Amino acid sequence: MKAFFSAITMIVLLITGSAQAQQAGPQQRFDAANSLYQQSKFTEAAAAYQQLIDEGYQQKPLYFNAGNAYYKAGKTGDAVYSYEKALQLAPGDEAVKHNLSLANQKVSGYVEELPLVFFQQWWQQLQQVHKANGWAVGTVVLFWLLVAGIMLNSFLPGWKNKFLRWGNYALGTLCALYLIMAIDTYLVANNHSQGVIMHSNIKVKTAPDDNSKDAFEIQEGMKVQVADATKDYCKISLADGKTGWVSCNYIKRL
């Protein structure tokens, strides 16, 4: 009888513990994953971070810590992918760049990308001021301010009209800039033409066919540009200009 009640008690405790775990907020779960990492339980920590990511949480610290855990666990492809995602969210973060560089050193045959020129860096920084929705809202607000300014311009005479006209020019310019940035940030956020190879010793083919010749070999963690795709194959290009076809299943899109 005692054994029966002990079993019932154990089941109740397990159910209660499971319910409490489910009720734990994302910050508590993130802290728990950090604790696992500090205990050198890198595989478990990576799994905990990944669960949060799979649930839709998209923060730089989450991807960065996931990259660190994957790196320590020896999962180069997942580490590179996580750092790349963190870098998308925070392009100027030096810690992310440094750790990504360390992870890339583990990628056999890694080809370094050409650095961005200064105006590309400025544009990238400008993209981070708002997300696409923020730029879109700004566009709408500026548009209606411009409409109001144009209407006032037809009623105010003389010198007031002149200053208002220049104000409308400024509003129109800002509105156009916000519209361009809204479109650009939306396209960037939904552009999945880059990816990371998630398997080792992949034979890149000269054509999208299993029977085609091998062009070259790539390793886990290699970042690629996806230029074209069929149902099963993706045409990839590397930073050094090499191109070929691999199974799309080998690529995790950024």
Side-chain angles (χ1 to χ4, degrees):
M1 196 68 175
K2 287 183 178 180
F4 174 76
F5 282 113
S6 297
I8 294 296
T9 302
M10 182 63 69
I11 292 171
V12 171
L13 288 173
L14 287 172
I15 293 173
T16 304
S18 176
Q20 289 176 345
Q22 290 177 356
Q23 292 173 359
Q27 184 60 51
Q28 288 79 12
R29 292 162 62 194
F30 180 70
D31 293 339
N34 291 341
S35 179
L36 288 171
Y37 182 88
Q38 291 167 0
Q39 297 171 42
S40 298
K41 297 179 179 179
F42 303 121
T43 301
E44 293 88 340
Y49 292 129
Q50 189 61 51
Q51 186 176 11
L52 286 167
I53 291 170
D54 292 341
E55 290 175 8
Y57 297 101
Q58 302 283 314
Q59 285 83 29
K60 188 271 292 184
L62 178 57
Y63 276 112
F64 180 67
N65 287 14
N68 292 339
Y70 279 126
Y71 180 84
K72 291 287 188 179
K75 297 182 178 180
T76 305
D78 287 308
V80 170
Y81 179 87
S82 298
Y83 289 138
E84 287 284 357
K85 292 295 289 184
L87 202 59
Q88 285 182 348
L89 296 169
D93 194 299
E94 293 300 327
V96 177
K97 290 180 181 179
H98 175 73
N99 285 17
L100 175 59
S101 176
L102 293 178
N104 281 329
Q105 290 176 17
K106 286 192 170 186
V107 180
S108 178
Y110 169 71
V111 180
E112 188 173 0
E113 295 178 305
L114 293 174
L116 298 176
V117 295
F118 70 93
F119 61 85
Q120 290 176 313
Q121 294 175 359
W122 291 348
W123 186 260
Q124 196 175 69
Q125 291 171 359
L126 184 60
Q127 288 175 331
Q128 301 306 309
V129 174
H130 298 296
K131 292 185 178 180
N133 288 342
W135 289 112
V137 170
T139 302
V140 173
V141 171
L142 289 168
F143 173 77
W144 285 112
L145 286 174
L146 178 60
V147 170
I150 292 172
M151 293 177 66
L152 282 173
N153 190 57
S154 61
F155 293 106
L156 293 179
W159 63 272
K160 292 182 180 179
N161 189 291
K162 179 180 178 181
F163 284 107
L164 187 58
R165 185 165 59 250
W166 282 106
N168 288 339
Y169 291 153
L171 283 172
T173 302
L174 278 175
C175 185
L177 174 62
Y178 266 70
L179 177 61
I180 291 170
M181 293 306 303
I183 295 171
D184 184 66
T185 50
Y186 175 81
L187 292 175
V188 169
N190 291 276
N191 178 19
H192 303 295
S193 62
Q194 293 182 322
V196 176
I197 299 296
M198 304 303 290
H199 299 267
S200 298
N201 305 319
I202 302 301
K203 304 292 185 182
V204 181
K205 300 290 186 177
T206 56
D209 186 344
D210 288 338
N211 297 321
S212 62
K213 294 181 179 179
D214 295 339
F216 53 93
E217 187 175 275
I218 53 176
Q219 300 297 327
E220 178 186 359
M222 182 71 74
K223 184 180 178 182
V224 298
Q225 186 80 24
V226 180
D228 196 4
T230 64
K231 181 180 178 181
D232 299 314
Y233 276 86
C234 288
K235 185 178 183 180
I236 62 169
S237 60
L238 306 184
D240 60 359
K242 290 181 180 178
T243 62
W245 295 82
V246 298
S247 170
C248 294
N249 294 328
Y250 296 148
I251 304 170
K252 190 172 183 179
R253 298 292 188 100
L254 288 167

